[in-house]
Every structure is written in structure tokens, then in C-alpha cells.
């Protein structure tokens, strides 16, 4: 089977070698790299090193090494084509079948993607050069006013779109790009009268990059502060730019994000640039949308915890609240950074510096503290119905956390913050149990639907496995307890409590 170089290059570009090898080996971070025991020799100390920066691995005990394709070939003893197909399947990339009518279409799609990326790179350079031709340029003055040094402007490749309807269009035409490609890139729009225009005309430009550093879109800031136009606009959704999957600043801060395994999420491009310049580089911003499942799926490859640092207005608080469950159910710990009214990360770090901002991070609230504070501010805690609705929401959120041993911590925190009685606390555990039963019923329904009819032996095996997993966690907890006897008495654990065979 012949696979085009374009397809192979796309797979190599989109695959994260740490994520792929991490599916087969227990990787541990060491500096900028990851290490693991060699799967090719019977060693007792780690000798396999994975470099996320170079996207390669090297096993010093066996001498094997290479890229993500090489690893799969050596580890699974498969052919190069099989390795490519396996990765393509993981990345949802279609490989054209030989002789099929879709082969030409897929090849054209890959070629168009490549040309679009080239166009966007050219536009980025055009915007940068348009600004740097004049030291007193409006955009330069704006960036200086924001406190961005020339080094920071170069790092984020900030620029300016000329205040002309056709300057960018004429430039792209001179480079040989078609009208169709200009429109599909999102840089150029088309009026009802059929005239082309620069979507970012007269705006300061923030290039948006994917995790490999490729420019896939732009954010534009209005410099005239006109009430008739939006303060910020972004590239429209396209085959290249998916705002639900991209995070501004991720590429620039990737090394620190990997090393620290934690991330700060803010609202604005300027927040990212200002914090990065101040030395807080593990920071990203959503691009004109709420945090999504795609965002979190990408982030969980790199981080264990997230700080939500949205604006202190009602919209920012609501955005943070909606992001909590999404992070927790994807096994990412979440804390909320609260800023003084009227402040944002950009203003804090400019007025008070990095240390003050880091203090705010250290004082970040847990999701329980954050939600209770907002509940007490906006609702009547003496109203039984409102309190009940809030507690049900909180138990539902706590139940999304897969590590059941932290559930008690959050329930105790909730009880303490709301001054609940012991009987009310007991009701929280009842609600928690009810939700777990409902989850189990849903799982059983899925089993029934997928198998079309009940198959008792499979169902019993599945339930036994669930019980066994739960009991292993209980024994682990007991072994870590300082006073096992008291814990056993308190929980009333008798031999009859355990149902699986040991």
C-alpha cells in the first residue's frame, strides 16, 4: 500500500510521541524529557528517554531509537505501513485507499491544507512587516502602551493589519494565492456586493498557533476603540482553525507547561502576553469560546492541575463555574483564582508584579470554596429548596472525580463551609450513593443495548470486576491508615462486607 508523503508528514506532525509511547510504557518526567524502563531488554533501571521537544526516543540499553513510527515498529513488531495506519486511526486521519475515487479528493484536501498554512504564514509576515516599517506606528504605540517589550513582540510575533480594505488581498494576489484559498483561510472576507476585504483591517494582530507552532488563525484588537466594532475579533471556524481545540499561547509556553504539569487559563490574549513577559509562562487563553472537551482532552496529556483565572465579572465567574466539571471528570485538579473587582491578570502583573500574582495563585480557591462563596453571595442559604438544589449540584460534581478517596475531603469542606448538621451531612452521602446507583444502571443499560439481549455471564463478570476494583482501593486506604482498627470499627467492615473472592 502506497501512502503519500503528505499523509505521513501530517501524522508525524499531529502525533505526540509522549502520548503515544505513554500508552504502552510508564513514563516519568525527568527535566525536559521522560524516562521509562526499556521494553526491549530486561533492565531494572530506566534507560529509555523520550524527548517531547524533538519528538524522538532513544533506548540506551538496546540502542534502538527514532521517531513515533520507529517506536511502534520496534515495540509491536509491525511494518511501517501498519504503524502509519495505526497512528492515522488514533488521530482520525483518513488514508486514501489505492484506486479509490476518494484518493484524489483526499490528496487535494492535504494539498489545500498545506497551501492554507503557507498562506497564513505569509500573512503573519506581512502583518509583522506592515507594523515595523514605522517606529511610531499606531500598533507599536499600542503594544508599548500595554508594556510589551520588543522581545515579547517578537516572541509572540505580534503585528498589524494595514488600515486598508485591499492591502492584504493585493499582497496575497502578488504571492499567487487564489481568491478561493484567501476566503477559506478566514483572513479575507467577501461583501454582499462581491468585493474582497481584509477581515482584520486596522487591527493589532495576535497570531494563533497550533501545538507545533503553525499559524492557524489570528486575533485582532481594534485600535480606534470604536463603539461600532468589536474590541476583539478572531478568525472564523475553518478546516484549519477550530476554536474549540486551540489555546492561545500553548505553543509558546509548552516547555514550562510540560515541566510544571500545571496550567493557568485566562480570558485574553494580552493576559497571556503580559504574564509570559513577567515570567509566568505556563499560561493560555481560550480563543473567543468557553473551555471545551477538546481543550481539556489536549491538556490532560500535559498537566495534572489547572488554575482558572477568568475576569471577576459575572460572565467570568459563570465561565469558571462551567469549566469545573469538565476538568474534574477528565482527572484534572482545578482551582479558581479570584482577582479584585475591575482587575484582570494583565493589570495585576503590570501594577503589582509577578510576586503579587503568584500570591494570588497560592491563595486560589478549591471548587467547593468558590461555589459556596458564590452561592452565599447570590442565593438564600436559609431557603430549603435553593440549598437543596445547590447541594445536589455539588454532590454531582464531587462524584465526577474518579479518585473516590478525595470525596470525603470535599464533602467535609462543603459541610464545614455551610455549617451543615451531621444529619444533613448523612443526606449528602445518601445523595452520593443514589447518583452512583444511577450511574451503574446507565452502564447496565448500555451493556443491554450493545448486546441486544442479557448475557448473565458477561454481566456478572463485569460487576465482579467493578467490586474487585473498589475493594482493592479500600484495602489500599486501610493499609495507609495510622489506626486500621478504628477505621474498620467506624466503617463497620465485617467479612460479609467483601463480596469478591480473594
Amino acid at each position: 500500500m502506497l501512502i503519500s508523503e503528505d499523509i505521513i508528514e501530517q501524522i508525524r506532525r499531529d502525533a505526540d510521541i509522549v502520548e503515544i509511547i505513554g500508552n504502552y510504557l510508564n513514563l516519568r518526567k525527568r527535566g525536559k524529557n521522560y524516562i521509562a524502563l526499556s521494553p526491549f531488554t530486561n533492565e531494572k533501571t530506566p534507560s529509555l528517554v523520550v524527548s517531547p521537544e524533538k519528538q524522538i526516543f532513544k533506548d540506551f540499553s538496546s540502542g534502538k531509537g527514532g521517531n513515533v513510527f520507529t517506536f511502534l515498529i520496534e515495540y509491536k513488531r509491525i511494518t511501517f505501513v501498519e504503524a502509519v495506519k495505526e497512528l492515522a486511526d488514533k488521530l482520525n486521519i483518513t488514508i486514501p485507499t489505492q484506486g479509490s475515487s476518494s484518493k484524489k479528493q483526499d490528496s487535494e484536501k492535504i494539498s489545500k491544507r498545506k497551501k492554507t498554512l503557507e498562506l497564513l504564514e505569509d500573512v503573519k509576515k506581512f502583518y509583522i512587516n506592515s507594523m515595523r516599517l514605522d517606529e511610531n506606528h499606531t500598533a507599536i504605540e499600542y503594544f508599548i502602551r500595554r508594556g510589551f517589550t520588543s522581545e515579547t513582540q517578537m516572541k509572540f510575533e505580534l503585528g498589524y493589519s494595514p488600515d486598508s480594505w485591499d492591502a492584504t488581498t493585493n499582497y496575497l494576489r502578488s504571492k499567487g494565492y487564489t481568491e478561493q484559498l484567501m476566503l477559506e483561510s478566514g483572513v479575507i472576507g467577501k461583501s454582499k456586493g462581491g468585493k474582497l476585504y481584509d477581515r482584520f483591517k486596522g487591527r493589532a494582530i495576535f497570531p494563533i498557533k497550533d501545538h507545533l507552532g503553525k499559524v492557524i488563525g489570528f486575533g485582532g484588537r481594534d485600535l480606534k476603540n470604536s463603539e461600532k466594532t468589536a474590541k476583539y475579533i478572531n478568525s472564523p471556524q475553518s478546516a484549519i482553525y477550530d476554536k474549540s481545540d486551540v489555546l492561545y499561547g500553548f505553543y509558546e509556553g509548552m516547555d514550562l507547561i510540560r515541566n510544571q504539569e500545571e496550567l493557568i487559563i485566562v480570558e485574553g490574549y494580552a493576559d497571556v502576553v503580559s504574564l509570559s513577559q513577567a515570567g509566568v509562562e505556563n499560561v493560555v487563553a481560550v480563543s473567543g469560546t468557553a473551555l471545551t472537551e477538546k481543550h481539556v482532552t489536549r491538556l490532560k496529556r500535559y498537566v495534572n492541575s489547572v488554575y482558572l483565572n477568568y475576569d471577576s465579572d459575572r460572565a467570568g465567574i459563570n465561565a469558571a463555574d462551567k469549566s469545573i466539571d469538565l476538568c474534574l471528570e477528565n482527572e484534572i485538579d482545578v482551582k479558581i483564582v479570584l482577582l479584585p473587582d475591575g482587575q484582570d491578570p494583565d493589570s495585576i502583573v503590570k501594577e503589582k508584579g509577578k510576586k503579587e500574582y503568584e500570591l494570588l495563585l497560592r491563595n486560589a480557591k478549591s471548587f467547593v470554596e468558590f461555589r459556596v462563596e458564590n452561592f452565599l453571595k447570590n442565593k438564600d442559604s436559609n431557603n430549603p429548596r435553593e440549598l437543596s438544589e445547590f447541594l445536589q449540584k455539588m454532590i454531582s460534581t464531587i462524584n465526577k472525580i474518579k479518585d473516590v478517596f478525595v470525596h470525603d475531603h470535599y464533602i467535609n469542606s462543603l459541610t464545614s463551609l455551610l455549617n451543615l448538621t451531621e444529619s444533613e451531612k448523612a443526606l449528602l452521602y445518601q445523595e452520593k450513593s443514589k447518583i452512583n446507583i444511577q450511574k451503574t444502571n446507565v452502564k447496565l443499560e448500555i451493556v443491554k443495548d450493545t448486546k441486544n439481549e442479557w448475557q448473565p455471564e458477561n454481566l456478572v463478570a463485569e460487576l465482579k470486576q467493578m467490586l474487585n476494583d473498589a475493594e482493592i482501593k479500600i484495602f489500599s486506604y486501610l493499609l495507609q491508615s495510622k489506626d486500621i482498627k478504628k477505621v474498620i470499627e467506624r466503617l463497620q467492615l465485617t467479612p460479609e462486607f467483601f463480596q469478591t473472592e480473594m
Side-chain angles (χ1 to χ4, degrees):
M1 178 182 183
L2 293 175
I3 303 175
S4 74
E5 282 297 321
D6 285 337
I7 284 281
I8 293 170
E9 180 56 32
Q10 184 184 354
I11 294 169
R12 183 186 289 114
R13 184 181 66 246
D14 289 354
D16 183 347
I17 195 167
V18 174
E19 180 186 13
I20 299 301
I21 295 182
N23 289 329
Y24 303 99
L25 306 181
N26 182 24
L27 293 177
R28 288 184 290 136
K29 180 166 282 188
R30 169 131 345 145
K32 288 187 176 182
N33 299 322
Y34 290 78
I35 60 171
L37 291 171
S38 170
F40 310 113
T41 62
N42 295 321
E43 64 170 6
K44 294 183 179 179
T45 57
S47 69
L48 184 138
V49 180
V50 182
S51 169
E53 184 178 0
K54 297 178 180 178
Q55 288 291 300
I56 60 172
F57 81 97
K58 177 65 179 177
D59 178 20
F60 292 93
S61 66
S62 68
K64 299 181 189 296
N67 59 23
V68 67
F69 298 118
T70 315
F71 176 81
L72 287 179
I73 291 167
E74 296 288 354
Y75 182 81
K76 304 189 80 171
R77 298 184 181 183
I78 57 179
T79 66
F80 175 74
V81 171
E82 288 171 330
V84 172
K85 289 173 70 176
E86 181 168 322
L87 285 172
D89 185 56
K90 284 182 182 291
L91 298 168
N92 294 317
I93 294 173
T94 302
I95 297 178
T97 54
Q98 195 168 17
S100 70
S101 59
S102 66
K103 182 179 179 182
K104 183 179 178 182
Q105 293 175 352
D106 289 332
S107 180
E108 288 174 351
K109 188 185 292 184
I110 295 164
S111 178
K112 182 179 285 187
R113 176 184 172 83
K114 188 176 180 181
K115 287 178 182 176
T116 304
L117 289 171
E118 289 172 357
L119 181 151
L120 292 168
E121 181 68 18
D122 280 337
V123 171
K124 179 201 74 178
K125 292 175 182 176
F126 175 67
Y127 287 159
I128 292 172
N129 292 332
S130 296
M131 181 177 73
R132 293 181 182 167
L133 289 173
D134 180 4
E135 290 183 1
N136 298 316
H137 198 286
T138 307
I140 291 180
E141 289 179 351
Y142 166 74
F143 290 135
I144 291 175
R145 198 162 61 247
R146 297 301 300 255
F148 302 158
T149 64
S150 57
E151 290 79 10
T152 295
Q153 292 176 42
M154 290 175 66
K155 176 182 177 179
F156 287 90
E157 300 189 290
L158 307 180
Y160 172 76
S161 176
D163 194 10
S164 164
W165 292 111
D166 57 5
T168 306
T169 303
N170 291 337
Y171 169 75
L172 290 175
R173 279 183 175 143
S174 74
K175 299 284 288 185
Y177 293 109
T178 65
E179 179 179 313
Q180 185 64 27
L181 197 64
M182 291 184 211
L183 293 170
E184 290 181 3
S185 74
V187 174
I188 302 300
K190 195 172 190 177
S191 68
K192 291 180 180 179
K195 192 172 183 179
L196 301 184
Y197 63 90
D198 181 355
R199 187 180 300 277
F200 299 99
K201 170 185 173 295
R203 291 176 177 267
I205 297 296
F206 296 79
I208 302 169
K209 302 172 185 176
D210 65 13
H211 65 291
L212 297 165
K214 299 284 187 184
V215 177
I216 54 175
F218 298 96
R221 208 281 189 187
D222 177 38
L223 296 178
K224 296 178 181 177
N225 295 316
S226 171
E227 294 181 0
K228 295 181 180 179
T229 58
K231 188 175 179 180
Y232 279 96
I233 61 171
N234 301 312
S235 291
Q237 193 85 354
S238 70
I240 297 291
Y241 175 68
D242 179 1
K243 65 182 179 180
S244 69
D245 190 31
V246 66
L247 292 160
Y248 178 76
F250 185 80
Y251 172 75
E252 287 81 0
M254 188 185 292
D255 286 344
L256 200 65
I257 291 167
R258 282 187 188 276
N259 289 335
Q260 296 192 359
E261 296 185 350
E262 63 181 26
L263 183 75
I264 305 161
I265 302 179
V266 297
E267 286 192 40
Y269 301 135
D271 293 326
V272 172
V273 177
S274 288
L275 287 172
S276 177
Q277 181 173 279
V280 184
E281 298 182 64
N282 57 325
V283 57
V284 300
V286 291
S287 298
T289 184
L291 194 68
T292 68
E293 185 73 41
K294 285 183 180 179
H295 289 142
V296 176
T297 299
R298 181 173 297 281
L299 289 180
K300 68 187 293 187
R301 303 178 190 172
Y302 305 92
V303 303
N304 297 319
S305 60
V306 157
Y307 289 87
L308 301 175
N309 188 191
Y310 297 147
D311 291 348
S312 55
D313 58 14
R314 176 47 52 188
I317 289 171
N318 289 340
D321 187 75
K322 289 177 182 177
S323 301
I324 288 170
D325 287 45
L326 197 56
C327 291
L328 293 176
E329 63 193 3
N330 281 281
E331 299 182 84
I332 297 178
D333 186 34
V334 59
K335 290 186 177 179
I336 297 85
V337 182
L338 297 179
L339 302 180
D341 288 342
Q343 298 277 354
D344 56 29
D346 177 41
S347 62
I348 289 285
V349 80
K350 279 188 175 60
E351 293 171 15
K352 300 184 178 179
K354 178 184 177 183
K355 287 186 178 179
E356 182 68 22
Y357 185 75
E358 289 178 333
L359 180 62
L360 290 169
L361 292 178
R362 287 197 294 273
N363 292 329
K365 295 183 180 294
S366 71
F367 72 91
V368 174
E369 293 169 323
F370 169 74
R371 281 187 171 169
V372 167
E373 187 174 298
N374 281 305
F375 171 73
L376 295 176
K377 235 184 235 182
N378 301 294
K379 300 286 185 179
D380 180 6
S381 60
N382 293 317
N383 183 312
R385 184 180 59 80
E386 290 185 348
L387 179 61
S388 174
E389 288 176 356
F390 175 71
L391 292 175
Q392 287 181 57
K393 175 183 177 181
M394 290 303 298
I395 290 300
S396 176
T397 296
I398 290 169
N399 248 13
K400 292 184 190 311
I401 302 172
K402 293 181 181 177
D403 183 356
V404 295
F405 291 113
V406 302
H407 290 193
D408 280 353
H409 168 77
Y410 289 121
I411 290 175
N412 287 333
S413 176
L414 186 61
T415 301
S416 175
L417 290 168
L418 288 172
N419 294 316
L420 300 180
T421 64
E422 283 300 315
S423 60
E424 287 172 325
K425 182 178 177 180
L427 289 173
L428 293 180
Y429 280 98
Q430 284 185 26
E431 180 66 19
K432 182 176 179 297
S433 299
K434 187 168 74 173
I435 292 172
N436 285 332
I437 291 169
Q438 290 170 348
K439 280 183 180 178
T440 303
N441 288 339
V442 169
K443 285 183 179 180
L444 296 180
E445 285 299 321
I446 291 172
V447 171
K448 181 179 179 180
D449 289 341
T450 54
K451 296 179 180 178
N452 295 322
E453 59 181 19
W454 292 105
Q455 296 186 23
E457 65 279 6
N458 292 333
L459 187 57
V460 169
E462 185 175 339
L463 288 172
K464 276 188 174 182
Q465 185 60 50
M466 289 168 64
L467 286 168
N468 189 54
D469 292 344
E471 290 179 6
I472 287 172
K473 288 186 177 180
I474 291 172
F475 282 120
S476 173
Y477 175 76
L478 289 173
L479 290 171
Q480 294 176 49
S481 176
K482 292 180 180 178
D483 194 334
I484 296 178
K485 187 176 180 182
K486 280 187 179 179
V487 175
I488 291 174
E489 289 175 355
R490 183 183 172 191
L491 296 178
Q492 298 180 350
L493 297 179
T494 62
E496 292 76 21
F497 178 86
F498 300 98
Q499 301 180 49
T500 55
E501 296 178 7
M502 300 299 290

